[in-house]
């Protein structure tokens, strides 16, 4: 059996058994047969979840870009690697072949080298979804610099926090970005961010929108002339298996964002292997993931996973609603997309629109439909299955995290029978466990608990940049010897998993993870605010939206409250980004607190959900009366 490409359920079960009984043989064989190495490993795996420390393929040497680009040149030099679809459908798409990608990545690598970037240096990439973003990511990997991509929808404050956390000294950005009919002035955001980052000595600016920008002499350089002059040859830096490949920030339930560190070899093997199987990619397929490269989905399943398999991967600059709500389907028809991977929030938004936006287009090329980022509700699942897939394209509901690097629980299409809202079975090598509140594993089926993983997989994040203790605390302290995901899940009668959602203070809004603490911190900076608490509540399109309870230092009139709501949301947009704005802001005289002063979010959540029939025991509250007062204000 070729365990690199599983083709039926029986093969899956057989390979799964091998992968958990002999994980080292299993992954060693996959790594050896399907990738190119400068030097083989001495040991496949060493690990200890208590320290915690995980090492895969120790002693091996490689460069991930040789696996994603160079090794395809003998057979696929002219095959399209990246297919860039611009925001404006009237602008032609760009087909960038493997040969061209090779040249562009090397040029960018030489430009970075020219600015003094060396192996191990951190490079902050704040670019829109344009080809330069892909070139920049791969150029860092080419020379062993650690990329830290920051989603170009984040605010200046969020950007500066991320630049400073990993001490990046160079930032790559663009003059602006196109989002539907808007132009976003990215360079101006960078300029504001850099007033707080004195260590940044160089900003490379790609040209996209052509809008007027200010260039700081001695710091800012136009990217295009440098690329033009640079050589298209750059020898790949030989990396150790466990050298860091990138840092990617994700929200935590408390404090500042966590810079998850991924390393070279394990990440490469796992992102490539999952891509091949979960999308059943065949040589001439055209694959499209609609995520932004600023998120882990874009890292693993727009760039590294597809390119390691020699795939054609689409990179879309725009939004699903521009020029109209048929854009996704127009692109599917135009490029004859075979695998389509998106988020439930996009599916829900498009399902609300006129069906003509779908019916106008020929979607018969589709073979696999994927979802990621949040639980998909039954209605959206069926719409996706009926209207987009015409019931002939299996849906892969893929559960995973920034921390896991690759897909962990998912059907394998045409192998695993799907079940609406279920992510179904663990991928090869993944050993899930459901835990009860006392830290014991819940055995058997038809059970529900907190989702943990018992054994390392190759692409598990190795640390939080600069804070290994926080890494231990967050993921390995709740359940000894287990990686804790922060999610709840159930297991049905046949052993299929269904992810029920976060069990911590992270709220997923339109597929974006938002920690409540940083939003509350932003609100509390308002001079008139005394205290605040954020909870999520169900929203038709966004999945969840944010509900803010705010107490003021001094009572405010209706009119003042309206102004305050606006100011609070502006503050949040400024500190974090527009994605974190609150849907509802309610001013309350106080927050329900325990005697130890902890805010009882459970009660606030139930009020926001309008589920007040069973508020549980409120007698232990410091201020039990406040619950009725809040209910009255909210009207439930
Ligand atoms: C949630 C995105 C249900 C989950 C790749 C997880 C999901 C968090 C699914 C990670 C899914 C992701 N079903 N929930 N198929 N996929 N999630 O780090 O709560 O942006 O912990 O990684 O998204 O989000 P992140």
């Amino acid at each position: 059996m070729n365990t690199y490409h599983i083709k039926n359920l029986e093969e899956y079960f057989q390979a799964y058994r091998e992968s958990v009984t002999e994980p080292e043989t299993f992954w060693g064989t996959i790594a050896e047969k399907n990738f190119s190495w400068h030097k083989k490993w001495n040991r496949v795996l060493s690990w200890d979840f208590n320290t915690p420390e995980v090492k895969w393929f120790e002693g091996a040497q490689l460069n991930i870009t040789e696996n994603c680009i160079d090794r395809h040149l003998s057979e696929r030099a002219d095959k399209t690697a990246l297919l860039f679809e611009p925001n404006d459908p009237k602008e032609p798409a760009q087909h960038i072949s493997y040969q061209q990608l090779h040249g562009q990545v090397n040029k960018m690598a030489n430009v970075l080298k020219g600015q003094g970037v060396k192996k191990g240096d951190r490079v902050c990439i704040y670019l829109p979804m344009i080809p330069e973003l892909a070139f920049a990511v791969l150029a860092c990997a080419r020379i062993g610099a650690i990329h830290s991509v920051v989603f170009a929808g984040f605010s200046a404050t969020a950007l500066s926090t991320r630049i400073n956390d990993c001490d990046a000294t160079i930032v790559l950005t663009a003059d602006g970005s196109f989002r539907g009919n808007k132009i976003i002035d990215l360079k101006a955001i960078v300029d504001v961010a850099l007033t707080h980052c004195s260590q940044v000595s160089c900003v490379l600016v790609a040209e996209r929108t052509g809008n007027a920008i200010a260039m700081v002499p001695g710091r800012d350089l136009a990217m295009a002339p440098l690329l033009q002059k640079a050589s298209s040859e750059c020898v790949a830096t030989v990396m150790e298996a466990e050298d860091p490949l990138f840092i990617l920030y994700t929200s935590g339930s408390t404090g500042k964002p966590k810079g998850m560190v991924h390393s070279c070899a394990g990440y490469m093997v796992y992102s490539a292997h999952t891509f091949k199987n979960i999308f059943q990619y065949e040589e001439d397929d055209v694959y499209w993931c609609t995520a932004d490269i600023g998120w882990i989905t874009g890292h693993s399943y727009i760039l590294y996973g597809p390119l390691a398999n020699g795939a054609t991967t689409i990179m879309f600059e725009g939004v699903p609603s521009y020029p109209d709500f048929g854009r996704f389907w127009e692109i599917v028809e135009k490029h004859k997309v075979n695998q389509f991977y998106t988020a439930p929030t996009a599916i829900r938004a498009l399902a609300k629109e006129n069906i003509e936006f779908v019916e106008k287009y020929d979607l018969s090329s589709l073979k696999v439909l994927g979802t990621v980022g949040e639980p998909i509700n039954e209605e959206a699942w069926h719409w996706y299955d009926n209207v987009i897939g015409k019931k002939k394209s299996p849906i892969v509901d893929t559960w995973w995290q920034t921390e896991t690097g690759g897909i962990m629980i998912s059907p394998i299409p045409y192998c695993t029978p799907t079940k609406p809202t279920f992510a179904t079975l663990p991928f090869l090598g993944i050993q899930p466990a459901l835990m009860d509140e006392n830290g014991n594993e819940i055995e058997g089926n038809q059970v529900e608990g907190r989702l943990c993983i018992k054994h390392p997989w190759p692409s598990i994040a190795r640390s939080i940049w600069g804070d290994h203790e926080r890494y231990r605390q967050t993921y390995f302290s709740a359940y000894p010897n287990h990686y804790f995901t922060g999610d709840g899940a159930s297991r049905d009668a046949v052993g299929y998993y269904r992810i029920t959602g976060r069990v911590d203070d992270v709220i997923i809004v339109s597929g974006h993870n938002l920690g409540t603490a940083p939003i509350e911190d932003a609100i509390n900076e308002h001079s008139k605010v005394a205290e605040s608490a954020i909870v999520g509540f169900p929203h038709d399109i966004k999945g969840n939206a944010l509900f803010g309870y705010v107490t003021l230092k001094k009572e405010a009139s209706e009119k003042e409250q309206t102004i305050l709501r606006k100011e609070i949301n502006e503050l949040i947009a400024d500190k974090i980004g527009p994605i974190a704005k609150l849907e509802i802001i309610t001013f309350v005289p106080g927050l329900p607190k325990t005697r130890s002063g902890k805010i009882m979010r459970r009660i606030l959540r139930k009020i926001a959900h309008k589920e007040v029939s069973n508020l549980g025991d409120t007698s232990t509250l410091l201020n039990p009366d406040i619950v009725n007062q809040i209910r009255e204000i909210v009207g439930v």
Side-chain angles (χ1 to χ4, degrees):
M1 179 182 39
N2 168 9
T3 45
Y4 189 71
H5 189 184
I6 299 299
K7 292 201 161 139
N8 58 56
L9 196 57
E10 207 175 306
E11 282 185 6
Y12 161 78
F13 282 124
Q14 196 185 329
Y16 184 76
R17 258 193 310 276
E18 278 175 35
S19 75
V20 299
T21 50
E22 303 278 346
E24 298 183 29
T25 315
F26 179 82
W27 289 113
T29 310
I30 291 209
E32 181 154 12
K33 289 192 178 160
N34 299 286
F35 299 90
S36 87
W37 304 89
H38 282 271
K39 180 169 163 276
K40 218 186 124 176
W41 45 91
N42 308 321
R43 194 166 175 187
V44 175
L45 170 66
S46 55
W47 67 291
D48 174 359
F49 271 175
N50 292 315
T51 318
E53 186 177 62
V54 177
K55 289 182 177 165
W56 282 91
F57 311 112
E58 213 181 343
Q61 293 183 327
L62 74 155
N63 186 289
I64 195 168
T65 67
E66 290 178 327
N67 282 276
C68 288
I69 308 172
D70 303 55
R71 69 171 169 146
H72 304 309
L73 295 181
S74 57
E75 282 172 28
R76 306 187 178 100
D78 298 325
K79 176 176 174 175
T80 301
L82 272 187
L83 203 174
F84 172 65
E85 174 65 31
N87 176 61
D88 180 352
K90 291 199 281 299
E91 190 184 324
Q94 286 179 39
H95 292 254
I96 300 161
S97 69
Y98 273 92
Q99 188 69 57
Q100 289 165 329
L101 183 64
H102 183 258
Q104 295 297 334
V105 169
N106 284 342
K107 275 175 170 283
M108 189 72 85
N110 285 324
V111 168
L112 292 175
K113 275 178 152 176
Q115 297 307 315
V117 177
K118 298 180 304 297
K119 181 180 169 185
D121 290 352
R122 275 80 58 209
V123 175
C124 174
I125 302 176
Y126 186 71
L127 277 164
M129 284 286 283
I130 56 176
E132 286 87 342
L133 169 55
F135 305 154
V137 165
L138 296 164
C140 288
R142 187 86 176 163
I143 61 172
I146 303 170
H147 55 77
S148 165
V149 182
V150 177
F151 172 58
F154 272 125
S155 71
T157 313
L159 175 61
S160 64
T161 309
R162 286 158 177 77
I163 292 172
N164 288 334
D165 184 75
C166 69
D167 203 19
T169 53
I170 178 167
V171 177
L172 276 58
T173 189
D175 53 357
S177 76
F178 291 122
R179 301 282 294 165
N181 52 20
K182 286 196 287 237
I183 290 184
I184 295 155
D185 194 350
L186 286 188
K187 176 64 169 57
I189 298 174
V190 170
D191 289 339
V192 174
L194 293 191
T195 58
H196 302 284
C197 314
S198 54
Q199 79 281 15
V200 173
S201 56
C202 174
V203 179
L204 298 177
V205 187
E207 190 184 331
R208 176 56 181 150
T209 55
N211 54 318
I213 53 167
M215 295 289 272
V216 176
R219 187 195 74 184
D220 302 352
L221 294 166
M223 200 185 276
L226 296 175
L227 284 172
Q228 206 191 354
K229 277 192 292 210
S231 158
S232 57
E233 288 302 329
C234 173
V235 177
T237 298
V238 176
M239 305 290 285
E240 300 297 323
E242 283 296 334
D243 279 340
L245 173 64
F246 66 84
I247 300 168
L248 187 59
Y249 287 88
T250 186
S251 309
S253 48
T254 55
K256 57 178 188 172
K258 299 173 286 190
M260 304 314 305
V261 181
H262 282 282
S263 58
C264 294
Y267 175 81
M268 171 181 77
V269 169
Y270 195 78
S271 61
H273 187 228
T274 45
F275 173 77
K276 178 72 182 173
N277 288 290
I278 292 165
F279 298 102
Q280 288 288 309
Y281 186 84
E282 298 285 352
E283 184 61 37
D284 296 321
D285 288 346
V286 175
Y287 162 87
W288 181 20
C289 165
T290 69
D292 192 289
I293 290 175
W295 308 115
I296 190 69
T297 307
H299 281 55
S300 303
Y301 299 111
I302 294 178
L303 294 180
Y304 290 116
L307 296 174
N309 284 283
T312 296
T313 173
I314 295 182
M315 191 174 166
F316 175 46
E317 182 185 29
V319 293
S321 54
Y322 179 82
D324 62 39
F325 287 98
R327 187 67 195 278
F328 273 4
W329 321 123
E330 183 242 347
I331 296 172
V332 169
E333 175 182 286
K334 176 173 166 192
H335 298 302
K336 300 195 172 45
V337 171
N338 300 110
Q339 293 89 359
F340 178 74
Y341 191 27
T342 197
T345 183
I347 299 169
R348 287 190 296 264
L350 295 173
K352 276 210 154 25
E353 299 301 324
N354 196 322
I355 190 107
E356 280 172 20
F357 285 122
V358 182
E359 287 176 343
K360 262 189 4 212
Y361 300 103
D362 176 6
L363 305 183
S364 61
S365 55
L366 290 171
K367 296 195 287 192
V368 177
L369 299 175
T371 78
V372 59
E374 56 185 314
I376 180 164
N377 50 309
E378 190 129 9
E379 200 184 343
W381 196 98
H382 285 295
W383 185 84
Y384 203 25
D385 188 35
N386 295 334
V387 178
I388 305 304
K390 324 285 180 206
K391 283 191 175 302
K392 68 170 188 55
S393 297
I395 295 178
V396 289
D397 175 354
T398 64
W399 172 81
W400 59 297
Q401 309 178 294
T402 305
E403 295 85 338
T404 69
I407 297 169
M408 302 286 281
I409 304 183
S410 167
I412 294 181
Y414 302 98
C415 300
T416 321
T418 58
K419 177 173 176 182
T421 77
F422 281 73
T424 76
L425 297 174
F427 191 70
L428 306 178
I430 304 306
Q431 303 185 32
L434 297 180
M435 313 298 280
D436 67 19
E437 308 244 323
N438 304 320
N440 300 315
E441 182 170 354
I442 310 168
E443 307 275 354
N445 288 342
Q446 290 187 296
V447 291
E448 186 167 345
R450 297 185 167 206
L451 181 61
C452 287
I453 312 289
K454 288 197 262 196
H455 187 274
W457 60 100
S459 63
I460 182 174
R462 304 300 197 258
S463 193
I464 291 175
W465 183 263
D467 199 347
H468 199 67
E469 173 54 20
R470 186 175 179 200
Y471 173 72
R472 190 189 68 75
Q473 272 281 341
T474 312
Y475 304 106
F476 300 94
S477 68
Y479 303 97
N481 250 322
H482 288 71
Y483 165 82
F484 175 46
T485 64
D487 283 321
S490 65
R491 192 161 53 217
D492 76 358
V494 300
Y496 274 15
Y497 288 87
R498 174 171 196 268
I499 312 302
T500 48
R502 301 290 310 181
V503 294
D504 55 10
D505 287 327
V506 172
I507 304 170
I508 303 188
V509 179
S510 299
H512 301 305
N513 291 8
L514 299 170
T516 50
I519 303 176
E520 289 163 3
D521 290 348
I523 300 172
N524 299 349
E525 279 189 28
H526 193 291
S527 61
K528 299 205 167 118
V529 169
E531 224 183 356
S532 61
I534 307 291
V535 298
F537 72 102
H539 184 280
D540 275 1
I541 291 174
K542 299 177 180 176
N544 296 295
L546 300 178
F547 193 120
Y549 296 89
V550 177
T551 63
L552 296 172
K553 289 179 183 159
K554 224 174 76 202
E555 225 174 280
S557 68
E558 285 285 326
K559 206 169 135 211
E560 286 166 335
Q561 290 191 4
T562 310
I563 299 168
L564 278 170
R565 283 193 183 91
K566 203 165 153 262
E567 288 174 354
I568 287 172
N569 265 335
E570 277 167 7
L571 205 55
I572 296 171
D574 188 44
K575 297 280 169 201
I576 298 160
I579 47 177
K581 283 192 194 175
L582 307 185
E583 193 83 10
I584 297 175
I585 299 177
T586 303
F587 296 102
V588 291
L591 297 169
K593 288 190 183 164
T594 62
R595 287 179 197 278
S596 59
K598 214 166 171 260
I599 298 171
M600 289 279 269
R601 284 165 199 282
R602 180 175 55 81
I603 292 174
L604 295 174
R605 212 171 284 133
K606 288 205 164 168
I607 294 174
H609 283 223
K610 302 198 186 324
E611 284 169 9
V612 286
S613 56
N614 177 19
L615 281 181
D617 183 12
T618 55
S619 63
T620 58
L621 290 178
L622 195 61
N623 49 353
D625 294 346
I626 199 73
V627 177
N628 285 334
Q629 291 178 36
I630 295 177
R631 281 180 62 177
E632 208 164 290
I633 294 168
V634 176
V636 292

